[in-house]
Amino acid sequence: MPRPVPCPWFLLVGRQKLREDFAQDHPVRIVRRTFGGWNSAIIQALCLQPPEAAMTSYAQTMTRDNELGGGAAMAVVAAMIAALFAGSTALTPLYVIYKQAFGFSQVTLTLVYAVYVVGNLAALLFFGRLSDVVGRRPAALAAMGVAVVSALFFLFAENLAWLDIARILSGLGIGVGAGAGTAWLAELIEGKDKSRAAVIATSTNFVGLGAGALMSGLLAQYAPWPLRLTFAVYLVLLALVTLLIWRTQETVSRPGRFSEVSLRPRLSVPDDIRAQFVAPAVTGFGAMALVGFYAALAPSILAQQLHVINHAEAGGLFFELSIVAAITIVGTTWLSSRSTMLAALVLMIPTVALIVAAQVYASMVLMIVATAVCGVAAALGYRGGLQVVNQIAPADRRAEVVSAFFICCFCGNALPVIGIGILSSLANATIASLAFAGMIVVFSLVALGFGAKYAR
């Protein structure tokens, strides 16, 4: 072994303490904390490693230094979540165009929207622990790769099958990426209070949803190639975010391999909390049903009943919902989880009443008001329901119970939309909206009853 470099006098102070710390921490990190990251000669001078080992560790440290950490890493992860969710609503203003170009019915339109949930459920049931095993960054990169493939299917779509495949892949990428991103944010936040991670993840979720719809609407209305240009621009965005994710600090200390991921689904709600679970589950179902109604059907309602054919306005309407939801999430963190959930249930009733009134009176003003109220109700319902579930779930089964809550949300996002599409074909859009409103009112009242009795 090469002879250690003699220690200069100004490093002798505290050297014994550093030797004691050596057993518990890496010497490079100790030096960087103590001396501000001086050059490798100092590490050698501490006589803790031979020069070759010191240089190797120092090179690894410099690699970590070149990665994005702290606030920059949090911003990149938040941008990833927003970018993934933007892909799910980029289609919203384009449904009317696809309907004309590919010649499918309103029912088929709703099925194209709802098939997205297949990818969500696959991610939740089979890949829920992916980032825990392989690390946050590899899981996020995999999700971005799936999103890129989805965008390519949209870009070159020639028929309905292409759209279905693209939607399923979009749901899969979002399911994996959102789970990995939320956990990543919690680990990047210093301190014990990790609630800010949920606020960042859910608010950027809605910002991404709104930005995707707005971008798509503007390009469809004011730029050429409406069914191509949107996804070409989206692919550029995904490439930029992927490069940033590749340079972002990993927080899982010992990531494993993809082959170690278990694909066995595990999902249940313990018997002793099932009555308490009803209120948040129905709240999540209703909140996502409202979002799904706007994402899938609002452009058709605007065109057919309000006589608004501007694609940018259709995208702007969903952008309004999403931004109101994001602001609500950030601005109501002081509300208790139970109060948040119950407030959402109460607000769902005037929301659907305003939606039906806007259709009956063909009023864009009423539709704008309904959209704002819907944004508040959806945000409070999603956040409040999730917080209540986290509180009532046993610690050793929390992941299972939270997964059951998300499945209720996904079903709410898809099933009512299909029902509305079928009723629209059999009767008319107003009758379908009335039925949807009745369902939301009944669900809200049931959940209010259970929430008042069991939620704490």
Side-chain angles (χ1 to χ4, degrees), residues 177-257:
T182 303
W184 207 351
L185 284 171
E187 291 162 352
L188 288 168
I189 292 174
E190 297 180 356
K192 295 182 179 180
D193 184 12
K194 304 297 184 181
S195 60
R196 192 156 59 102
V199 173
I200 295 171
T202 52
S203 59
T204 52
N205 171 338
F206 279 106
V207 168
L209 291 173
L214 182 62
M215 175 196 71
S216 175
L218 289 171
L219 291 175
Q221 186 64 35
Y222 301 113
W225 317 300
L227 300 182
R228 310 291 184 191
L229 186 59
T230 293
F231 298 105
V233 172
Y234 183 54
L235 280 167
V236 173
L237 173 64
L238 289 177
L240 291 174
V241 174
T242 301
L243 286 174
L244 291 172
I245 287 293
W246 181 68
R247 292 198 59 238
T248 301
Q249 171 190 341
E250 175 61 71
T251 53
V252 174
S253 58
R254 294 182 179 178
R257 301 174 181 175

Side-chain angles (χ1 to χ4, degrees), residues 80 83-84 130 136-154 165-166 168-178 234-235 237-243 245-246 258:
M80 177 198 71
L84 287 171
L130 178 65
R136 310 304 179 202
R137 182 165 53 193
L141 290 173
M144 296 299 287
V146 173
V148 167
V149 176
S150 170
L152 288 171
F153 269 92
F154 279 127
I165 294 171
I168 292 172
L169 290 174
S170 176
L172 178 62
I174 288 171
V176 173
Y234 183 54
L235 280 167
L237 173 64
L238 289 177
L240 291 174
V241 174
T242 301
L243 286 174
I245 287 293
W246 181 68
F258 281 92

Side-chain angles (χ1 to χ4, degrees), residues 54-115:
M55 290 301 293
T56 301
S57 295
Y58 182 68
Q60 294 171 350
T61 304
M62 289 303 295
T63 301
R64 287 194 296 270
D65 286 344
N66 289 332
E67 292 176 346
L68 298 174
M74 291 171 59
V76 170
V77 175
M80 177 198 71
I81 294 173
L84 287 171
F85 277 99
S88 71
T89 53
L91 229 64
T92 295
L94 305 180
Y95 280 122
V96 175
I97 305 176
Y98 277 117
K99 188 177 175 183
Q100 295 171 349
F102 293 170
F104 53 73
S105 66
Q106 186 76 357
V107 175
T108 304
L109 185 155
T110 58
L111 290 173
V112 171
Y113 175 82
V115 77

Side-chain angles (χ1 to χ4, degrees), residues 145-424:
V146 173
V148 167
V149 176
S150 170
L152 288 171
F153 269 92
F154 279 127
L155 180 63
F156 298 109
E158 297 293 340
N159 53 47
L160 191 61
W162 287 65
L163 295 182
D164 286 334
I165 294 171
R167 287 288 289 169
I168 292 172
L169 290 174
S170 176
L172 178 62
I174 288 171
V176 173
T182 303
W184 207 351
L185 284 171
E187 291 162 352
L188 288 168
I189 292 174
E190 297 180 356
K192 295 182 179 180
D193 184 12
K194 304 297 184 181
S195 60
R196 192 156 59 102
V199 173
I200 295 171
T202 52
S203 59
T204 52
N205 171 338
F206 279 106
V207 168
L209 291 173
L214 182 62
M215 175 196 71
S216 175
L218 289 171
L219 291 175
Q221 186 64 35
Y222 301 113
W225 317 300
L227 300 182
R228 310 291 184 191
L229 186 59
T230 293
F231 298 105
V233 172
Y234 183 54
L235 280 167
V236 173
L237 173 64
L238 289 177
L240 291 174
V241 174
T242 301
L243 286 174
L244 291 172
I245 287 293
W246 181 68
R247 292 198 59 238
T248 301
Q249 171 190 341
E250 175 61 71
T251 53
V252 174
S253 58
R254 294 182 179 178
R257 301 174 181 175
F258 281 92
S259 59
E260 299 173 15
V261 178
S262 172
L263 298 181
R264 185 178 64 182
R266 184 181 174 187
L267 187 70
S268 65
V269 178
D271 294 340
D272 57 339
I273 66 165
R274 284 182 181 173
Q276 294 172 275
F277 182 77
V278 171
V282 174
T283 304
F285 184 98
M288 291 301 103
L290 291 172
V291 173
F293 176 88
Y294 270 87
L297 301 170
S300 297
I301 291 172
L302 290 181
Q304 296 170 10
Q305 295 177 276
L306 276 66
H307 311 295
V308 175
I309 58 174
N310 187 302
H311 302 302
E313 289 188 42
L317 194 70
F318 194 83
F319 180 76
E320 176 200 351
L321 184 155
S322 301
I323 292 304
V324 169
I327 293 172
T328 301
I329 288 173
V330 174
T332 59
T333 53
W334 54 273
L335 279 175
S336 69
S337 56
R338 182 171 180 267
S339 298
T340 301
M341 181 183 71
L342 297 179
L345 292 169
V346 171
L347 283 173
M348 287 179 192
I349 298 173
T351 297
V352 292
L354 286 166
I355 290 172
V356 173
Q359 292 178 249
V360 171
Y361 295 105
S363 171
M364 190 64 184
V365 173
L366 282 177
M367 197 66 177
I368 291 171
V369 174
T371 303
V373 180
C374 180
V376 176
L380 295 179
Y382 180 67
R383 184 171 67 82
L386 181 57
Q387 286 178 328
V388 170
V389 166
N390 269 319
Q391 289 173 357
I392 66 175
D396 60 336
R397 300 184 64 180
R398 182 167 286 118
E400 290 179 67
V401 179
V402 170
S403 296
F405 171 79
F406 282 135
I407 285 181
C408 293
C409 292
F410 294 152
C411 290
N413 194 241
L415 298 181
V417 168
I418 298 173
I420 295 170
I422 294 172
L423 278 177
S424 296

Side-chain angles (χ1 to χ4, degrees), residues 17-38:
K17 180 65 170 64
L18 289 172
R19 286 185 176 279
E20 294 171 0
D21 289 345
F22 178 63
Q24 300 178 354
D25 203 352
H26 194 284
V28 176
R29 290 194 292 269
I30 298 171
V31 173
R32 292 177 64 238
R33 286 200 306 267
T34 309
F35 301 102
W38 292 353

